[in-house]
Amino acid sequence: MAFASYLVKRLGFMAVTLFLVTLITFGLTNVLPGNVALLILGPNATEESLAQLETQLGLNQPLYVQYVDWIVGLARGDMGMSLRYNTPVAEQIAIRLPRSLLLAISATIVSVTLSIPLGIIAAVRKNTPADLTASMLAFIGLSLPIFLWGLVFIFVFALNLGAFPTRGYVSPAEDPIAALHYLILPAGAMGVALTAYIMRMTRSSMIDELSEDYVEFARAKGLSEQTVVLRHALKNAAIPVITVIAFQFSYAFGGVVVLEEVFSWPGIGRLTLTAIENRDIPLLQGCIIVIALIYMVSNFLADAFYAYVDPRIRYGGEK
Amino acid sequence: MRSTSTDPLLSVESLRTEFRTEGGTVTAVNDVSFALEQGEVMGLVGESGAGKSVTATSILRLIPYPGEIVSGAVTFDGEDLLERTEKEMQGIRGNRITLIPQDPMTSLNPVLTVGRQIIETIRLHQDVDKAEAREIAIESMREVEIPDPQSRIDEYPHEFSGGMRQRVLIAIGLACEPDLIIADEPTTALDVTTQAKILELLNDLRERRGVSILMITHNLGVVAQTCDRVGVMYAGNLIETGRVEDVFEQPRHPYTRALIDSIPSVDDDLERLYSLPGSMPDPKALPDGCNFADRCAHATEECRAGPDPALEAVSNRSTDSQVACLRAADLDLSEPARNGTDERRQRTTTTESLLEVNGLKKHFSAGDGFFGNLSLTRTDGGGLSLERRYVKAVDGVSFTINRGETLGLVGESGCGKSTVARTVMQLLEPTDGEVYFDGHPLHELGSSEMRSLRQEMQIIFQDPKSSLNPRKTVGQIIGRGMKKHGIATGDEKRSRIEELLERVGLQAGDIDKYPHQFSGGQQQRIAIANALAVEPKLIVCDEPVSALDVSVQAQILNLLADIQDEFDLSYLFISHNISVVRHICDRVAVMYLGKVAELGPTERVFSPPYHPYTESLLSAVPHSTPDRQPDRILLEGTVPSPIDPPTGCSFHTRCPKKLDGTCEREEPGLDPIDGDGTHQISCHLSVDEMGEPRTETGEPRADP
C-alpha cells in the first residue's frame, strides 16, 4: 500500500518535471536565432513564399498556440517533421534510440561488473595497497572525460592492437557477432569512465555498512566473513549504489552525444548534433524530450527499485 | 551440549586486550580473571571505558581492529578459545556461546526478514532443512513471547518495536540452545517499562533453560535484579567480585561503594548525592599502582606505586568476595559514603509564576518532503483517498513553573517531553497554545523581541559534545552570549568567565582550551557555565545527565542543585530517568503520548503513585538493592503511534486498571485530587480506586 502510494507520488513528480522540461525545450528552441522558414527555403526565397510557409507550419500563430499544438502532437507521438530529413521526427528517433540504448546499457553493464567487486574489495581491505590501487584507478577514470577514454581505447585496441574496428555500427539483428565487435570499444570506453563513481560509492557505502551493529552481530552468530560481507552488508550497501548506477546511466546517455561522434555510432546523440548543426528545430525538440524522458524514467526506476530493496520504504515504516 | 565436568563453564584467566592506536596503546582489559559456573548469571558492571564490553568481545574473539588479545586464556567447557582457529570459533559463536547485543534498533539487518535472520543461524549450526529451521525459529520466537510468531516471522525488523526487536535478538541467541549467553547491555537502549519486561524474560529463561548468562551492564539495578554474582570493572581492571548480596551490602572496594552511592535512589526525594571527584584515568596513560587511587578517599602512598593490586580473596570467611585493594582488610565500607553536607536540600520556592504554558500543541507533518505527509488510504467504500497526516507530538499540555522551582518532565521516549521544551523555548513554533514567560506572551512575540528574551531562558542539552562549537575556545563559547546580550566585554568578560568556570568546578586556566580537551562531564560543566553566563531566569535541562556515567552524573546533579539555590534559577528538567527526576525536582509532570497524565509535587506524585501509568513507570525501575523484588507492573503492548492516538484516555490500550467503556470513549481531564489543587491527575478512576491494589498478590497500599 505504502509502496503504491510512494510510486504514485514519484509519478506525480515525474509528470510535473516533464511538463517543465517541455516548457524549457520549447522556449529555448524558439528563442534560438534563425528563421525556420528561411532555413527551409534558402536565402533566395520571396517574402510571399516565406509567409505562405510560415502559415503552413503555424509559425505566425501566438507562441502558446504553437506550444499547445506541439504538446498535443507529442502526446499522440507526433513530433512533427524533420526539416533536414523531411521524414517524421518520431521515425528518426525510433531508428536511432535503440542503438543509443544498446550502447548505454552495455556501458552500464561493463561499469557495474567492474566497479562493484572492486568497491567491495577496497572496502574490505580498507587502507591497504589493494584499496589504494583500486581507489587510484577509479580516480583516474573519474578525472578523464568520456571522449578521451574513447580516443585512448581507439588508439590502444583499434590502432595499435588492431583487435577492434575504430568506428561504425552493425545492427545486432543483421549480424550479432559483428555487432558485438563494433560495440565493445565504445561500451568499454564509456564503462571504464563510469566505473569510478560507482566503485567509490560502493566502497564508501560498504565501509559504512561494515561498521554497523548488525554486521558485528552477524559475526557473533558465527557467520563466515564472506557471508557477513556478501549477504548482510552488501544488500544494504547496494541501496545507495543503485541510485548512483541509475544516475550514471542517465549520465551515460548524456555522454553518448560525444562518444557517438568519436565512434561514428549512429545513435540519438549524433542525431541531436545533426539537428543542432542544421537548425532542425522539430528534430532537436524531439531529441531533447526523448533524452530527458530516458533520464527521468531511469531515475524513476532507480527510486522504485530503491524502495523495493529497502523494506522501510516499501512498507512505509518509521524513519 | 557440554561435557559433564566439575570445572566452571567459562573461566577467564589473566586476560589482556590492547588497542594499538596512533595515540598510544590502550589496555582495555588488563589482567582480568573470573569464572562462571554452569547455570549461573554473572554481572560485569562498570562505567564506560571500564573494559566490560571488550572483555565480552574478547571471549567471542570478535575484537575489532586494531584490538588484539595479548595474553591470557579463555577456557570454555574445557577448551581454550584463544587456541581455536577462526573456523572453529565460527562453530562456537551463535551456537554454544551467543551474544545479545546492546542496541536492538541497529543490531538486526534492516533488509532481511527477522525469520531469515533467525533461520540462517539455525541452519548454520544445526543439520536441519529449511522447513525444520523455520519451525525451530517460530518456537524460539514463541519462547521469547513474541505474539503471533507464525506471521511475524516474515516481517522486517522495522515492523517491530524496540522491545520486540530485543526479543528477536534473544530468540536468535536461544535458537541453538547455547550453554552461555553474553548479554551486552541488553536493556540500555530500551524504555524503562520495556526494560522491565526484557529482564523478566531473561530471568524466566534462565530458570527454564538453566543457561548461564554473562550480563554486561552499567546499571546496578539490572545487576541487582538479575545476577547471582557480580564483577566490578574499573579502567580495565576487575576490582571486585562476589555474590550480588555481598557486594551490594558489604562492598570491599572504595569504588564499588562510590558507584552504589552515586545512584539516585528511586525512593528518595531531593537527597544530596554522594559524588566521586574526577573521572576515570586516560586509558593510554594509566597511573602507577591502583588506577582508582586518584579518586579514592582512602588511598595512601603505597596505593600509588607498584603494579595494579591483584584480585584477592577477602579474609572474612563468610563471603567468597574477592577484591583488588591494598587496604581492603582495613576498610569497613558497609555504610554509605558521604561527602560533607549530606542533608536533604531545604527547598523554599515562591508561588510567583515565571513560566506559564497553556494548552500547548505541536503537530509535525508525518513523513518528509512536500507531499510527504500525504498518505494514500482506502476509504470504507474501497476507494482510494489522499489524507494529510500529523504526528501529534505535543497535544494540549499546560503547566506553570514558579521562580526558583524545578519542574520535571518525565516519560518514555516519544512521549513529547523534548518537544515541549523546544516549543516552550520557541525553538519550534507551537501549533497552538500560549506560553507566558515572566509576563511576556512568547507565542505572540516577533523574532527580535524573542531574541532579547532568549538571554533569560537557556537550554542545556543531553550531548555536550555536539552542542559546544568544536572550533571555538571555552572562553569564546561562553563569552559570545555575554557580549551579545551586553553583559560584559573585554577584561571584565574574561574575569567573569574565569569566575564561572571555577564556579562549575573547572579551572580559570581552562578558558583558552577547546571542548574536545575535556571529558563528557567537564563538557557538561562548560555547557552549564555557558547557560549561566547570560544570567538567565530559567534553564531548560534536556536530559542533561543521560549521556554521563553515574559517578559523573552525581557531580552534575549536585552542581545543578547548588547553582539553583545560589542564582535563584528555575529549571524545566526533562528526563526519562525517574530516579533522577525524583532526586532534583520540586514538582513533576508525567507525560504519556503528548499529554500530561499527572502533575504535582514530586513526593505526592510518587509516594504512593496514583495514576496507573505513573505507578507502572515507577514499578518498572530496577532497584539497586538485591533483596527487593518489587511487584512489577508489566504494561501490555507498546506505546501507540502519535499519528493515530487511541480514543478516550490515550493510556487505555495498556492500562491495567482500565474501566471498560468509559476509558475508551471519554478523554479524562487533568483534575485536581487534593484540596489546594496542586496535584492533578488525568484519569477516570477515583483516588480510592487508583490506590487499590491491582491483583490479589499486590501489597495493599498505605493511605497517603
Side-chain angles (χ1 to χ4, degrees), chain B residues 505-535:
Chain B
L506 299 169
Q507 284 156 15
D510 292 336
I511 189 166
D512 293 321
K513 290 188 185 166
Y514 288 88
H516 71 86
Q517 294 173 277
F518 297 89
S519 69
Q522 288 172 326
Q523 287 176 348
Q524 200 59 294
R525 289 175 192 271
I526 296 168
I528 292 171
N530 185 34
L532 282 178
V534 293
E535 298 167 0

Short mmCIF file of all heavy atoms in Angstrom, two decimals, chain B residues 505-535:
data_model
loop_
_atom_site.label_atom_id
_atom_site.label_comp_id
_atom_site.label_asym_id
_atom_site.label_seq_id
_atom_site.Cartn_x
_atom_site.Cartn_y
_atom_site.Cartn_z
N GLY B 505 33.21 24.15 38.72
CA GLY B 505 34.13 23.08 39.07
C GLY B 505 35.25 22.87 38.06
O GLY B 505 35.91 21.84 38.06
N LEU B 506 35.47 23.85 37.19
CA LEU B 506 36.63 23.77 36.29
C LEU B 506 37.66 24.78 36.78
O LEU B 506 37.48 25.39 37.84
CB LEU B 506 36.20 24.07 34.85
CG LEU B 506 35.16 23.11 34.27
CD1 LEU B 506 34.60 23.65 32.96
CD2 LEU B 506 35.77 21.74 34.04
N GLN B 507 38.72 24.97 36.00
CA GLN B 507 39.74 25.93 36.42
C GLN B 507 39.75 27.14 35.52
O GLN B 507 39.42 27.05 34.33
CB GLN B 507 41.11 25.25 36.38
CG GLN B 507 41.29 24.34 37.56
CD GLN B 507 42.31 23.26 37.29
OE1 GLN B 507 43.07 23.34 36.33
NE2 GLN B 507 42.28 22.24 38.13
N ALA B 508 40.14 28.28 36.10
CA ALA B 508 40.17 29.52 35.33
C ALA B 508 41.06 29.36 34.10
O ALA B 508 40.76 29.91 33.04
CB ALA B 508 40.69 30.66 36.20
N GLY B 509 42.10 28.55 34.23
CA GLY B 509 43.03 28.34 33.12
C GLY B 509 42.43 27.58 31.96
O GLY B 509 43.01 27.52 30.88
N ASP B 510 41.24 27.01 32.16
CA ASP B 510 40.60 26.25 31.09
C ASP B 510 40.00 27.15 30.01
O ASP B 510 39.53 26.67 28.98
CB ASP B 510 39.48 25.36 31.65
CG ASP B 510 40.03 24.24 32.51
OD1 ASP B 510 41.21 23.88 32.30
OD2 ASP B 510 39.31 23.75 33.39
N ILE B 511 40.04 28.45 30.24
CA ILE B 511 39.34 29.40 29.36
C ILE B 511 39.83 29.35 27.92
O ILE B 511 39.07 29.56 26.98
CB ILE B 511 39.44 30.83 29.95
CG1 ILE B 511 38.54 31.79 29.19
CG2 ILE B 511 40.88 31.32 29.99
CD1 ILE B 511 38.33 33.11 29.89
N ASP B 512 41.11 29.02 27.71
CA ASP B 512 41.63 29.02 26.34
C ASP B 512 41.70 27.63 25.72
O ASP B 512 42.29 27.44 24.67
CB ASP B 512 43.03 29.67 26.32
CG ASP B 512 42.93 31.15 26.65
OD1 ASP B 512 41.96 31.79 26.18
OD2 ASP B 512 43.79 31.66 27.41
N LYS B 513 41.10 26.66 26.40
CA LYS B 513 41.11 25.31 25.83
C LYS B 513 39.89 25.11 24.91
O LYS B 513 38.95 25.89 24.94
CB LYS B 513 41.07 24.27 26.96
CG LYS B 513 42.35 24.21 27.77
CD LYS B 513 42.27 23.03 28.71
CE LYS B 513 43.47 22.97 29.64
NZ LYS B 513 43.22 22.03 30.74
N TYR B 514 39.96 24.04 24.14
CA TYR B 514 38.85 23.70 23.24
C TYR B 514 38.01 22.58 23.85
O TYR B 514 38.53 21.77 24.62
CB TYR B 514 39.41 23.28 21.88
CG TYR B 514 39.97 24.44 21.10
CD1 TYR B 514 41.30 24.83 21.26
CD2 TYR B 514 39.15 25.18 20.24
CE1 TYR B 514 41.80 25.92 20.56
CE2 TYR B 514 39.66 26.25 19.55
CZ TYR B 514 40.97 26.62 19.71
OH TYR B 514 41.46 27.71 19.02
N PRO B 515 36.73 22.50 23.45
CA PRO B 515 35.83 21.50 24.07
C PRO B 515 36.37 20.07 24.04
O PRO B 515 36.18 19.33 25.00
CB PRO B 515 34.55 21.62 23.24
CG PRO B 515 34.54 23.02 22.76
CD PRO B 515 35.98 23.38 22.55
N HIS B 516 37.08 19.69 22.96
CA HIS B 516 37.49 18.28 22.87
C HIS B 516 38.55 17.92 23.89
O HIS B 516 38.85 16.76 24.09
CB HIS B 516 37.98 17.95 21.45
CG HIS B 516 39.30 18.58 21.12
ND1 HIS B 516 40.50 17.99 21.42
CD2 HIS B 516 39.60 19.76 20.53
CE1 HIS B 516 41.49 18.78 21.03
NE2 HIS B 516 40.97 19.84 20.49
N GLN B 517 39.13 18.95 24.56
CA GLN B 517 40.15 18.65 25.55
C GLN B 517 39.55 18.26 26.90
O GLN B 517 40.26 18.05 27.87
CB GLN B 517 41.07 19.88 25.73
CG GLN B 517 41.89 20.17 24.48
CD GLN B 517 42.66 21.46 24.60
OE1 GLN B 517 42.14 22.54 24.37
NE2 GLN B 517 43.93 21.37 25.00
N PHE B 518 38.21 18.21 26.95
CA PHE B 518 37.55 17.90 28.23
C PHE B 518 36.80 16.58 28.13
O PHE B 518 36.42 16.13 27.05
CB PHE B 518 36.55 19.01 28.57
CG PHE B 518 37.20 20.36 28.78
CD1 PHE B 518 37.40 21.22 27.73
CD2 PHE B 518 37.61 20.74 30.05
CE1 PHE B 518 38.00 22.46 27.91
CE2 PHE B 518 38.22 21.97 30.25
CZ PHE B 518 38.41 22.83 29.18
N SER B 519 36.56 15.97 29.30
CA SER B 519 35.74 14.76 29.34
C SER B 519 34.26 15.14 29.22
O SER B 519 33.91 16.32 29.30
CB SER B 519 35.97 14.03 30.65
OG SER B 519 35.42 14.78 31.71
N GLY B 520 33.41 14.12 29.04
CA GLY B 520 31.98 14.36 28.90
C GLY B 520 31.39 15.18 30.05
O GLY B 520 30.62 16.12 29.85
N GLY B 521 31.76 14.81 31.27
CA GLY B 521 31.23 15.52 32.44
C GLY B 521 31.71 16.96 32.47
O GLY B 521 30.95 17.88 32.78
N GLN B 522 32.99 17.16 32.12
CA GLN B 522 33.52 18.53 32.10
C GLN B 522 32.87 19.36 31.00
O GLN B 522 32.60 20.54 31.19
CB GLN B 522 35.04 18.48 31.88
CG GLN B 522 35.78 17.96 33.10
CD GLN B 522 37.25 17.74 32.80
OE1 GLN B 522 37.62 17.37 31.69
NE2 GLN B 522 38.09 17.97 33.79
N GLN B 523 32.59 18.72 29.87
CA GLN B 523 31.91 19.45 28.79
C GLN B 523 30.53 19.89 29.25
O GLN B 523 30.08 20.99 28.93
CB GLN B 523 31.79 18.55 27.54
CG GLN B 523 33.12 18.38 26.84
CD GLN B 523 33.02 17.43 25.65
OE1 GLN B 523 32.02 16.74 25.49
NE2 GLN B 523 34.05 17.40 24.84
N GLN B 524 29.86 19.02 30.01
CA GLN B 524 28.54 19.41 30.50
C GLN B 524 28.69 20.58 31.49
O GLN B 524 27.84 21.45 31.54
CB GLN B 524 27.83 18.20 31.14
CG GLN B 524 26.33 18.33 31.26
CD GLN B 524 25.63 18.54 29.93
OE1 GLN B 524 25.81 19.56 29.27
NE2 GLN B 524 24.81 17.59 29.54
N ARG B 525 29.79 20.62 32.24
CA ARG B 525 30.02 21.77 33.12
C ARG B 525 30.19 23.04 32.29
O ARG B 525 29.73 24.11 32.67
CB ARG B 525 31.28 21.54 33.96
CG ARG B 525 31.11 20.48 35.04
CD ARG B 525 32.44 20.23 35.76
NE ARG B 525 32.37 19.05 36.59
CZ ARG B 525 31.96 19.06 37.87
NH1 ARG B 525 31.61 20.20 38.44
NH2 ARG B 525 31.90 17.94 38.56
N ILE B 526 30.90 22.93 31.16
CA ILE B 526 31.07 24.10 30.29
C ILE B 526 29.70 24.56 29.79
O ILE B 526 29.40 25.76 29.78
CB ILE B 526 31.99 23.76 29.09
CG1 ILE B 526 33.39 23.43 29.59
CG2 ILE B 526 32.05 24.93 28.11
CD1 ILE B 526 34.30 22.82 28.54
N ALA B 527 28.87 23.60 29.40
CA ALA B 527 27.54 23.95 28.91
C ALA B 527 26.75 24.66 30.01
O ALA B 527 26.00 25.61 29.75
CB ALA B 527 26.80 22.70 28.44
N ILE B 528 26.93 24.23 31.25
CA ILE B 528 26.23 24.89 32.36
C ILE B 528 26.77 26.31 32.56
O ILE B 528 26.01 27.26 32.72
CB ILE B 528 26.36 24.04 33.65
CG1 ILE B 528 25.58 22.73 33.48
CG2 ILE B 528 25.87 24.82 34.86
CD1 ILE B 528 25.81 21.73 34.59
N ALA B 529 28.10 26.45 32.52
CA ALA B 529 28.70 27.78 32.66
C ALA B 529 28.21 28.69 31.55
O ALA B 529 27.89 29.86 31.77
CB ALA B 529 30.22 27.67 32.62
N ASN B 530 28.10 28.12 30.34
CA ASN B 530 27.63 28.88 29.20
C ASN B 530 26.20 29.37 29.42
O ASN B 530 25.87 30.52 29.13
CB ASN B 530 27.71 27.98 27.96
CG ASN B 530 27.35 28.72 26.70
OD1 ASN B 530 27.65 29.91 26.57
ND2 ASN B 530 26.71 28.04 25.78
N ALA B 531 25.37 28.50 29.98
CA ALA B 531 23.99 28.89 30.25
C ALA B 531 23.94 29.96 31.34
O ALA B 531 23.18 30.94 31.25
CB ALA B 531 23.16 27.68 30.65
N LEU B 532 24.78 29.81 32.35
CA LEU B 532 24.77 30.76 33.47
C LEU B 532 25.29 32.14 33.07
O LEU B 532 24.92 33.15 33.68
CB LEU B 532 25.66 30.23 34.60
CG LEU B 532 25.11 29.13 35.50
CD1 LEU B 532 26.17 28.73 36.51
CD2 LEU B 532 23.86 29.61 36.20
N ALA B 533 26.14 32.17 32.04
CA ALA B 533 26.86 33.40 31.70
C ALA B 533 25.94 34.56 31.41
O ALA B 533 26.26 35.71 31.71
CB ALA B 533 27.76 33.14 30.50
N VAL B 534 24.77 34.29 30.85
CA VAL B 534 23.89 35.40 30.47
C VAL B 534 22.85 35.69 31.54
O VAL B 534 21.87 36.39 31.29
CB VAL B 534 23.20 35.10 29.12
CG1 VAL B 534 24.23 35.08 28.00
CG2 VAL B 534 22.45 33.79 29.15
N GLU B 535 23.09 35.17 32.73
CA GLU B 535 22.23 35.43 33.89
C GLU B 535 20.76 35.15 33.61
O GLU B 535 19.91 36.03 33.68
CB GLU B 535 22.42 36.89 34.36
CG GLU B 535 23.86 37.14 34.80
CD GLU B 535 24.17 38.62 34.97
OE1 GLU B 535 23.27 39.45 34.73
OE2 GLU B 535 25.31 38.93 35.34
#
